[in-house]
């Protein structure tokens, strides 16, 4: 006696072509695997915090606690920040300082009230992943949106022909047709919401902005500049996804830079910058061996975007004692 093991409620709504079944199975599981991988990386990648160079020393903290807020308070921060690659300021022109973390904020760094810590290149705190989206996992977040969108579009596309049959009474009168209707509506609605969110973040990447910077433009010494960190579409894209295109679709970290310093496109040049000989790009070095840019200009060479040796210290030994003060971008104006 031969026993049929088919579910009678789904008879007449399955794919009959074997090739079509194989292709759909491969594409479905590939998209599902990439979706889960990128989602996992977005959730469990810890947001990066400012390095110890941006933290105040014990003596500087003591001075800040003793001195009232005002010009003296800023003078202490000026001395602490003279050798740091910070070009953004507060609305009043002061150095960006976090009272909670007791550190000088690097450019594009913000304090997350949910995580209660400063996040490098913070974009937003995402409830979908219960994590901060910042420098360390922004690429993973973009891939999560991309693969979830493709996943939903694939489901809606493969279900479309049966959804049409549902309205034309081309399906057998079983419970399967209600599953088909629900699946199509769910996939279509998620596709619409994900496409708008993914499109918005693609625009942010093309402009080299974060969500916070899109709502409030960064403030530099010369004033507010909504495109202050934009270096052109190609370089903006590579700053997030890296130079090697083979890693772009994979949720592995390939973003350029360290999250603490970023090349900028400041337009207004100070007269002091003209004294820098052509071809030389002096750098500011800290005790840990990090190299920071001294010219935040569109055409200035940067290891984030071009040759990693372009930020090599080309200054002579006699100039090392005045590296920090020779940088006009690090000269902080007195508050009025």
């Amino acid at each position: 006696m031969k026993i049929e093991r088919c579910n009678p409620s789904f008879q007449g709504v399955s794919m009959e072509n074997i090739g079509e079944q194989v292709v759909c199975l491969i594409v479905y599981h590939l998209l599902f695997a990439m979706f889960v991988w990128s989602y996992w990386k977005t959730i469990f990648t810890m947001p990066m915090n400012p390095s110890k160079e941006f933290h105040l020393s014990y003596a500087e903290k003591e001075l800040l606690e003793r001195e009232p807020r005002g010009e003296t308070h800023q003078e202490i921060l000026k001395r602490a920040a003279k050798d740091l690659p910070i070009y953004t300021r507060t609305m009043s022109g002061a150095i960006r300082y976090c009272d909670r973390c007791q550190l000088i904020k690097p450019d594009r760094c913000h304090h997350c009230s949910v995580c209660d810590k400063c996040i490098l290149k913070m974009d937003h705190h995402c409830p979908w992943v219960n994590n901060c989206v910042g420098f360390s996992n922004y690429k993973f977040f973009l891939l999560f949106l991309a693969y979830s969108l493709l996943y939903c579009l694939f489901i809606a596309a493969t279900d479309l022909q049966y959804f049409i049959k549902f309205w034309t009474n081309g399906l057998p009168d079983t419970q399967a047709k209600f599953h088909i209707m629900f699946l199509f509506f769910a996939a279509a609605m998620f596709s619409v919401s994900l496409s708008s969110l993914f499109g918005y973040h693609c625009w942010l990447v093309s402009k080299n902005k974060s969500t916070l910077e899109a709502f409030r433009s960064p403030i530099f010494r010369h004033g507010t500049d909504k495109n202050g960190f934009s270096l052109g579409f190609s370089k903006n894209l590579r700053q997030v996804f890296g130079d090697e295109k083979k890693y772009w679709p994979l949720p592995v970290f390939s973003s350029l830079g360290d999250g603490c310093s970023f090349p900028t496109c400041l337009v207004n040049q100070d007269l002091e910058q003209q004294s820098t000989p052509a071809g030389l790009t002096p750098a500011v070095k800290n005790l840990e061996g990090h190299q920071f840019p001294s010219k935040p200009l569109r055409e200035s060479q940067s290891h984030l975007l071009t040759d990693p040796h372009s930020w090599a210290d080309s200054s002579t030994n006699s100039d090392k004692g005045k590296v920090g003060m020779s940088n006009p971008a690090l000269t902080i104006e007195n508050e009025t």
Side-chain angles (χ1 to χ4, degrees):
M1 181 178 177
K2 186 177 180 181
I3 300 176
E4 295 290 341
R5 294 177 179 264
C6 297
N7 188 344
S9 65
F10 286 90
Q11 290 180 359
V13 292
S14 60
M15 295 179 180
E16 298 179 357
N17 188 289
I18 299 298
E20 186 180 4
Q21 294 178 5
V22 172
V23 172
C24 287
L25 280 173
I26 293 175
V27 175
Y28 174 85
H29 286 92
L30 179 62
L31 290 177
F32 181 74
M34 297 303 293
F35 161 72
V36 173
W37 186 9
S38 57
Y39 187 48
W40 179 275
K41 293 285 289 185
T42 307
I43 294 175
F44 293 103
T45 300
M46 296 298 295
M48 288 181 61
N49 311 119
S51 57
K52 64 180 182 180
E53 290 81 22
F54 294 87
H55 289 262
L56 298 183
S57 64
Y58 179 79
E60 291 167 338
K61 293 178 183 178
E62 288 289 319
L63 286 175
L64 285 180
E65 291 177 358
R66 290 199 302 264
E67 296 292 339
R69 289 186 176 273
E71 187 173 346
T72 307
H73 207 265
Q74 273 297 302
E75 287 297 329
I76 298 173
L77 295 178
K78 290 177 186 179
R79 292 194 297 268
K82 66 177 182 179
D83 291 332
L84 295 176
I86 52 174
Y87 306 119
T88 56
R89 302 291 183 262
T90 63
M91 295 183 65
S92 61
I95 294 177
R96 300 169 64 243
Y97 176 73
C98 180
D99 292 309
R100 297 279 296 178
C101 302
Q102 293 186 316
L103 56 83
I104 296 173
K105 293 181 182 179
D107 292 344
R108 316 185 80 174
C109 173
H110 298 275
H111 186 88
C112 177
S113 59
V114 180
C115 300
D116 195 26
K117 56 186 177 182
C118 287
I119 308 298
L120 292 180
K121 195 187 176 183
M122 179 179 173
D123 188 86
H124 68 288
H125 187 92
C126 182
W128 286 18
V129 299
N130 193 29
N131 195 9
C132 256
V133 177
F135 175 76
S136 60
N137 61 352
Y138 187 61
K139 176 191 173 184
F140 307 149
F141 178 74
L142 287 174
L143 292 178
F144 158 62
L145 294 180
Y147 287 121
S148 57
L149 175 60
L150 291 175
Y151 182 65
C152 291
L153 288 175
F154 175 79
I155 293 176
T158 53
D159 191 44
L160 180 60
Q161 58 176 320
Y162 304 103
F163 181 74
I164 295 175
K165 290 181 180 180
F166 172 82
W167 294 104
T168 58
N169 297 320
L171 292 180
D173 190 15
T174 62
Q175 294 181 355
K177 63 180 184 180
F178 297 104
H179 295 298
I180 290 173
M181 181 180 66
F182 174 79
L183 183 63
F184 180 82
F185 274 120
M189 287 188 294
F190 273 105
S191 298
V192 172
S193 60
L194 285 168
S195 61
S196 60
L197 183 59
F198 179 65
Y200 174 69
H201 279 279
C202 287
W203 176 79
L204 291 178
V205 171
S206 67
K207 299 296 183 181
N208 205 341
K209 294 181 180 181
S210 65
T211 300
L212 295 176
E213 291 167 351
F215 283 97
R216 187 173 65 183
S217 301
I219 303 172
F220 298 87
R221 289 186 65 248
H222 68 275
T224 302
D225 190 345
K226 64 180 181 179
N227 295 317
F229 292 105
S230 180
L231 303 166
F233 177 78
S234 176
K235 292 182 178 181
N236 293 342
L237 187 66
R238 287 191 287 126
Q239 195 172 101
V240 175
F241 288 93
D243 288 326
E244 300 189 48
K245 295 183 179 180
K246 62 182 180 180
Y247 295 122
W248 286 12
L250 301 177
V252 295
F253 185 80
S254 59
S255 301
L256 301 180
D258 56 5
C260 293
S261 59
F262 298 90
T264 66
C265 61
L266 298 184
V267 178
N268 296 344
Q269 300 187 29
D270 292 325
L271 295 177
E272 297 178 15
Q273 291 178 331
Q274 298 179 359
S275 62
T276 305
L280 297 181
T281 56
V284 179
K285 289 188 176 182
N286 54 36
L287 297 178
E288 295 298 318
H290 292 97
Q291 295 185 3
F292 297 130
S294 63
K295 286 180 63 181
L297 302 177
R298 182 184 298 276
E299 301 301 329
S300 64
Q301 295 182 351
S302 165
H303 81 285
L304 297 178
L305 301 177
T306 54
D307 186 5
H309 300 292
S310 61
W311 278 4
D313 186 11
S314 56
S315 59
T316 59
N317 294 332
S318 61
D319 294 332
K320 287 184 178 179
K322 53 183 180 180
V323 168
M325 300 306 295
S326 64
N327 182 3
L330 299 180
T331 306
I332 306 170
E333 297 175 345
N334 294 327
E335 290 186 283
T336 56

